[in-house]
Amino acid sequence: MNRLLLSRILLSFILVFGSAMSFVLDWSRNHLLNPLWHPHARFHSAVLLFFFAGVAATGLWLLWRENDPRAGVTAAAALSASYWMPFFFVPLVLPQASYWAGTPGHEPHFHGMIFYPNLLVIGLFLMLTLIAWGIGRKAA
């Protein structure tokens, strides 16, 4: 398999799976359907899900166009990274936000430290995005 194809497949997976899983995980009782959420917060969260689906579709289109494949790889990687990166810093710039969607004070712990499973998955998506971009930018 050539480098460009590998990069495209990896980025396609990240865009499609990331968008689909965002819907599956966020359209749930601990996010959008949480009765404690303000209705306008639900509105914005739902808008973000649909926006990400549109961004993912745009990334796929750019990724698989034939006229400039390296630009498509870079654009798809940039779109992916622009969605996933803020997960790491939003609670730092908005202290009222939390990495944890469950009951406050009941965060999971690993070896005595708070562990956020979502950040592990998002970190994996970011790492795969960078790997796919690195592979694809050297191709073609």
Side-chain angles (χ1 to χ4, degrees), residues 68-138:
D68 193 353
R70 284 195 339 201
V73 165
T74 297
L79 290 170
S80 176
S82 70
Y83 180 75
W84 298 116
M85 276 301 288
F87 281 83
F88 289 102
F89 64 78
V90 164
L92 301 174
V93 297
L94 182 63
Q96 300 88 338
S98 173
Y99 293 119
W100 180 240
T103 305
H106 292 87
E107 292 85 355
H109 287 74
F110 184 73
H111 291 288
M113 296 177 60
I114 293 177
F115 170 72
Y116 299 104
N118 54 336
L119 293 184
L120 178 68
V121 173
I122 291 162
L124 178 65
F125 275 25
L126 268 174
M127 183 179 67
L128 289 173
T129 295
L130 291 173
I131 289 168
W133 175 72
I135 292 169
R137 74 184 178 91
K138 295 177 184 172

Side-chain angles (χ1 to χ4, degrees), residues 11 26 42 66 71 79 101 104 127 136 138:
L11 284 167
D26 288 359
R42 286 187 202 151
E66 288 301 324
L79 290 170
M127 183 179 67
K138 295 177 184 172

Side-chain angles (χ1 to χ4, degrees), residues 12-43:
S12 295
F13 168 78
I14 294 163
L15 290 167
V16 172
F17 187 74
S19 178
M21 288 312 297
S22 291
F23 271 94
V24 169
L25 295 172
D26 288 359
W27 214 285
S28 66
R29 189 118 176 97
N30 66 346
H31 278 74
L32 286 174
L33 305 179
N34 185 336
L36 300 176
W37 274 30
H38 190 281
H40 198 64
R42 286 187 202 151
F43 171 82

